[in-house]
Amino acid sequence: MHYVDEGEGDPILLLHGEPTSSYLWRNIIPQLPGRKIAPDLIGFGLSDKPTEIGWYSYDRHTASIVRLVESLDLRRLTLVVHDWGGPIGLRFAVEHPERVARLVVLNTGIGGGRAPSEMWLRFREAVRSAGGELDIGRLVAAGTSQGLDDDVRAQYDAYFPTPESKAGALAFPELVPAEPDHPNTEPMNRVRDALRSWDKPTLVVWGADDRVLPLAVAEMFIGLIPGAEGPVAIDGASHFLQEDKPDEVAGAIRAFLAR
């Protein structure tokens, strides 16, 4: 597992999702206080990329984050989660609450048994159809409101140089429990239910233009987690709000930490 580790002080762990990497946080990390740790999930960024789609699982990715946190002995964590970093990070939080001081939730979901939205189902089908020819840069750009510069798009593509290297990006949509009998339905519902008694500070920040995970999902988190603040809805930002409005995202997190 490759990870960024910068700064000193209480740690902030930033978890990305599909099909990004720690690169997603590049404009936000310099604006945050303390020690910032941003891993590339296995199969993404500069981390190893197992080529068997069946290797990828919710359990394995959660376990890899547990190993990272324990190996670095991170405590008093501010955990910032986005996209697939949400189910992984929120599971880590409820199973290891002694290491987590607060949560920041960005454009993600938790729970299983039904599809997040019709738009998400179309996204899953597009990934299935593309297979090893999946255009990673185009996929990220489609999840923004502002678009991506050519060099940024090229960097996202560069992390997946061969069709075989895209196994993780192809696997993650299949791990979303969009059906009641999906094997991840029960574990994600367990995490969701545990969040009903989460008693530590939580902030919800959302790209308001996200059509795959609309603002109603942010409101769900506010209703789910006792005392959660927000949602801070960022206009002009879509699913990858870190690309669209990094200054606003960083500012919302800084203000939360200051409180």
Side-chain angles (χ1 to χ4, degrees):
M1 175 182 279
H2 169 268
Y3 60 93
V4 173
D5 189 349
E6 297 183 1
E8 297 180 354
D10 285 346
I12 303 174
L13 180 63
L14 304 112
L15 299 183
H16 72 88
E18 157 87 350
T20 59
S21 64
S22 58
Y23 182 68
L24 182 69
W25 304 105
R26 69 194 180 282
N27 295 317
I28 292 174
I29 286 173
Q31 301 190 56
L32 298 180
R35 180 183 179 188
K36 285 81 63 173
I37 302 98
D40 293 345
L41 298 177
I42 303 299
F44 298 84
L46 296 176
S47 290
D48 285 352
K49 297 182 177 66
T51 57
E52 291 295 327
I53 291 177
W55 181 92
Y56 295 85
S57 74
Y58 186 29
D59 289 346
R60 276 193 167 131
H61 279 86
T62 303
S64 71
I65 295 302
V66 173
R67 287 196 299 273
L68 175 69
V69 171
E70 290 180 345
S71 67
L72 298 178
D73 194 24
L74 302 178
R75 300 179 184 274
R76 301 182 303 279
L77 266 174
T78 295
L79 182 58
V80 183
V81 300
H82 176 254
D83 193 89
W84 252 101
I88 294 168
L90 295 173
R91 180 174 175 180
F92 166 78
V94 301
E95 293 180 354
H96 301 272
E98 72 282 357
R99 290 187 180 268
V100 180
R102 58 186 68 82
L103 296 175
V104 181
V105 179
L106 285 67
N107 292 69
T108 186
I110 193 63
R114 60 187 179 89
S117 66
E118 286 297 320
M119 183 66 71
W120 184 86
L121 288 173
R122 288 197 286 273
F123 154 74
R124 184 177 67 176
E125 186 54 40
V127 173
R128 286 175 175 174
S129 299
E133 300 305 312
L134 182 66
D135 188 331
I136 300 293
R138 181 181 179 184
L139 186 61
V140 178
T144 68
S145 290
Q146 309 297 323
L148 297 177
D149 293 342
D150 288 346
D151 58 341
V152 172
R153 182 165 169 168
Q155 183 60 59
Y156 279 114
D157 286 331
Y159 291 126
F160 300 92
T162 66
E164 293 77 17
S165 69
K166 299 175 184 179
L170 297 176
F172 263 27
E174 304 301 331
L175 298 179
V176 174
E179 300 82 22
D181 59 350
H182 192 287
N184 288 338
T185 293
E186 190 278 331
M188 283 200 194
N189 283 344
R190 190 169 64 243
V191 174
R192 182 196 61 199
D193 292 343
L195 289 170
R196 299 184 193 279
S197 57
W198 183 259
D199 61 356
K200 298 178 182 181
T202 300
L203 175 69
V204 178
V205 182
W206 220 259
D209 299 344
D210 192 342
R211 294 186 297 161
V212 174
L213 295 175
L215 200 56
V217 182
E219 298 287 358
M220 180 276 294
F221 276 106
I222 295 299
L224 178 68
I225 302 174
E229 299 181 30
V232 177
I234 299 182
D235 293 329
S238 187
H239 184 72
F240 296 109
L241 62 169
Q242 303 94 327
E243 293 291 349
D244 284 324
K245 298 286 185 177
D247 296 346
E248 287 84 345
V249 174
I253 297 173
R254 281 199 317 273
F256 176 60
L257 294 174
R259 293 194 292 276

